[in-house]
Amino acid sequence: MNTIVLGGGISGLAYAHALLQGGTPMDELLLLEAAPRLGGLIETCLAEGYQFECGPETFVDDGSLLDGLVAELGIEAQVQRPPASAKLRWLAHGGRLEPLPMGPGGLFRTPILSFGAKLRLFGEPFVRRGKDPQEDFASFIARRFGPQVLDRLADPFASGVYAGVPEQMETQACFPKLFEAEQKHGSVLRGARKVGMKPGKIFSFDQGNAQLVEALAQALGPCVHTGFRAVSLQRDGSGYQVQAEDGRRFAAERLALALPAGPASRLLQTLSPDLAELTASIPFVSVSSVHLAYRESDLPPEIQGFGFLIPRKEATNQILGVLYSSRLFPSRAPEGMVLLRALLGGARNPGIQSQPDQALVAQVRDTLSQLTGLRAEPAFVHVSHRRRALPLYQPGHSAKLATMAKALQAFTGLDLLGLSYLRSSVAGCVREARRLARSHAG
């Protein structure tokens, strides 16, 4: 066997597909997944006529449609784009929703920032470069833009992207373009365009985000085996041997661990206790979703656009924000209905999943009432939980990855990949997985 891939999330699937595209014979490749389904965090659910995401709400296209993978799979015609109105995003401020400022002009017009905070923006190009490669995001933003931009803009942005809090996030690992703009050009504002700091365009598929997973599974065919829970890993000559809890064993010259850091750490213990300890030290946060559907006629006019985020200093409960799911993709709800999705938990609220579902639903309804005036009874309710869903790239994460890379040099044919390490987005995971696989071509 040439290669075994452990983990059927998006990273493992993209890695295996790239190997096939690069010439690895199908009978020389195995992808083994412990769960009964593939996709990892990507999960599209169907219930009562609603199509809703329990993982990432959308994908982000940087112009390459996930590094060319969509074209290779032949599913370009199934790509869905949101309407232009989705560009409208909201932020809770002063007990109401205000449009999120877009671009320099929006920053100077918004009521979210005081006049003094707006003047402070003019000074950003003259702030000295930071010298700490492990600087946290809160310090970075406060140093360059001031505390008000941190509290009112950067804080909700951090929770919306990573479900994190700025004080616990390394700037270089979480926002590498911001870090690069400062280090190379001395200013975020001056260097933004030069480092390619341009927001991507969101998209999904006709059958939801899971359509990407299904297309990959179909392309991989007999290479994929679900229900295989690996319990041990050891060297086998010049390769590796994996054993499942049911006693089955597989051996291959190359092994890719496309697993979350926790499971990867347990398998690595027999190979390298040091490497296992490093992977185990990556923390994760849990996130819960509450989906609610309402009749279009019951909705106030504020529920238009993409959705809203809630800064910590505006929060009255454990909600991070609300997405207007079927405003983005109308096919996600039956005609005449609107589907919303609230996100709760993250690093702000680590104990969120100990609460009963009805308590979470009550929080969401209370927030919608306060910020939008929506008081109608929902016609549909669904609650889902993702325990240890997202990694936290804490200060020191980049240095940790460098140490891990050195440790991996002792293990020819072993790859570590996935959301736990870098590229905390679907597009980033796909790109990194395909890069690694291509490096083994030929």
Side-chain angles (χ1 to χ4, degrees):
M1 184 68 62
N2 180 280
T3 303
I4 292 173
V5 181
L6 282 184
I10 191 62
S11 292
L13 291 166
Y15 181 96
H17 184 263
L19 288 178
L20 286 184
Q21 293 289 108
T24 300
M26 192 167 282
D27 60 0
E28 286 291 312
L29 175 65
L30 274 180
L31 185 146
L32 306 172
E33 165 59 42
R37 68 170 187 87
L38 299 170
L41 288 177
I42 299 174
E43 183 179 11
T44 303
C45 299
L46 300 172
E48 299 181 32
Y50 296 93
Q51 179 191 91
F52 52 96
E53 303 296 335
C54 293
E57 185 74 10
T58 66
F59 300 140
V60 178
D61 178 23
D62 61 1
S64 67
L65 271 182
L66 302 183
D67 197 45
L69 180 60
V70 172
E72 290 176 13
L73 295 170
I75 53 175
E76 298 150 293
Q78 284 74 53
V79 169
Q80 279 193 359
R81 302 279 189 182
S85 59
K87 293 179 180 179
L88 178 61
R89 304 180 184 214
W90 303 86
L91 202 61
H93 176 68
R96 57 181 289 175
L97 295 181
E98 296 285 354
L100 183 68
M102 305 299 286
L107 281 172
F108 289 107
R109 289 190 299 269
T110 180
I112 293 173
L113 297 177
S114 68
F115 181 70
K118 293 172 183 177
L119 285 180
R120 174 73 173 76
L121 297 176
F122 285 105
E124 191 276 336
F126 305 101
V127 175
R128 291 182 179 180
R129 288 182 179 87
K131 296 181 180 180
D132 182 6
Q134 300 183 15
E135 184 176 24
D136 65 78
F137 188 50
S139 298
F140 179 91
I141 294 296
R143 177 172 59 79
R144 298 213 64 86
F145 297 98
Q148 206 173 99
V149 170
L150 168 62
D151 292 339
R152 300 182 184 181
L153 297 177
D155 172 81
F157 179 65
S159 68
V161 175
Y162 286 92
V165 292
E167 298 84 357
Q168 299 176 19
M169 300 165 64
E170 181 186 281
T171 305
Q172 181 180 187
C174 297
F175 304 105
K177 293 292 186 182
L178 288 176
F179 183 81
E180 182 184 358
E182 182 193 48
Q183 293 301 309
K184 287 188 175 180
H185 304 285
S187 162
V188 171
L189 296 180
R190 192 166 53 232
R193 186 170 296 178
K194 296 176 182 177
V195 301
M197 198 187 305
K198 183 180 179 181
K201 297 179 179 179
I202 62 173
F203 73 99
S204 184
F205 294 94
D206 292 344
Q207 297 173 31
N209 292 343
Q211 188 167 354
L212 176 64
V213 174
E214 292 162 5
L216 281 163
Q218 186 174 357
L220 291 168
C223 299
V224 175
H225 296 261
T226 57
F228 182 98
R229 187 174 300 278
V231 294
S232 71
L233 168 63
Q234 60 187 29
R235 295 298 291 263
D236 183 25
S238 60
Y240 300 89
Q241 185 182 96
V242 179
Q243 180 177 334
E245 61 183 1
D246 63 5
R248 286 181 293 169
R249 297 172 184 266
F250 294 99
E253 299 169 20
R254 179 170 297 281
L255 175 66
L257 288 182
L259 301 169
S265 173
R266 290 190 285 275
L267 290 175
L268 287 168
Q269 190 64 46
T270 55
L271 284 184
S272 171
D274 290 341
L275 192 53
E277 183 178 357
L278 285 166
T279 55
S281 68
I282 298 172
F284 282 72
V285 297
S286 300
V287 179
S288 296
S289 296
V290 175
H291 287 89
L292 302 174
Y294 295 89
R295 296 174 184 82
E296 178 78 57
S297 57
D298 288 335
L299 293 186
E302 288 82 357
I303 299 185
Q304 297 290 339
F306 189 94
F308 63 84
L309 292 170
I310 305 174
R312 265 181 296 178
K313 292 190 175 181
E314 294 282 336
T316 59
N317 51 38
Q318 296 165 305
I319 297 176
L320 306 177
V322 175
L323 299 165
Y324 303 160
S325 296
S326 64
R327 296 293 197 213
L328 303 178
F329 305 106
S331 62
R332 292 185 175 180
E335 187 174 354
M337 306 299 293
V338 176
L339 182 66
L340 311 180
R341 178 191 186 183
L343 296 169
L344 305 89
R348 286 191 201 171
N349 311 292
I352 187 70
Q353 296 184 353
S354 64
Q355 299 185 37
D357 288 355
Q358 56 266 36
L360 303 185
V361 173
Q363 287 190 43
V364 176
R365 294 191 62 191
D366 183 57
T367 294
L368 289 170
S369 175
Q370 290 178 15
L371 293 178
T372 73
L374 176 59
R375 297 180 177 85
E377 287 287 330
F380 171 80
V381 177
H382 184 276
V383 181
S384 62
H385 306 284
R386 289 292 178 268
R387 291 173 174 82
R388 290 179 56 82
L390 297 172
L392 277 180
Y393 297 167
Q394 293 182 325
H397 186 80
S398 296
K400 184 182 298 183
L401 292 184
T403 303
M404 291 171 64
K406 286 185 179 180
L408 277 170
Q409 291 176 3
F411 299 95
T412 302
L414 179 64
D415 285 332
L416 279 180
L417 62 151
L419 190 68
S420 298
Y421 310 110
L422 74 167
R423 313 294 187 193
S424 189
S425 69
V426 172
C429 285
V430 167
R431 184 174 293 106
E432 180 63 14
R434 286 161 64 83
R435 184 196 67 79
L436 270 175
R438 288 165 178 159
S439 72
H440 307 314

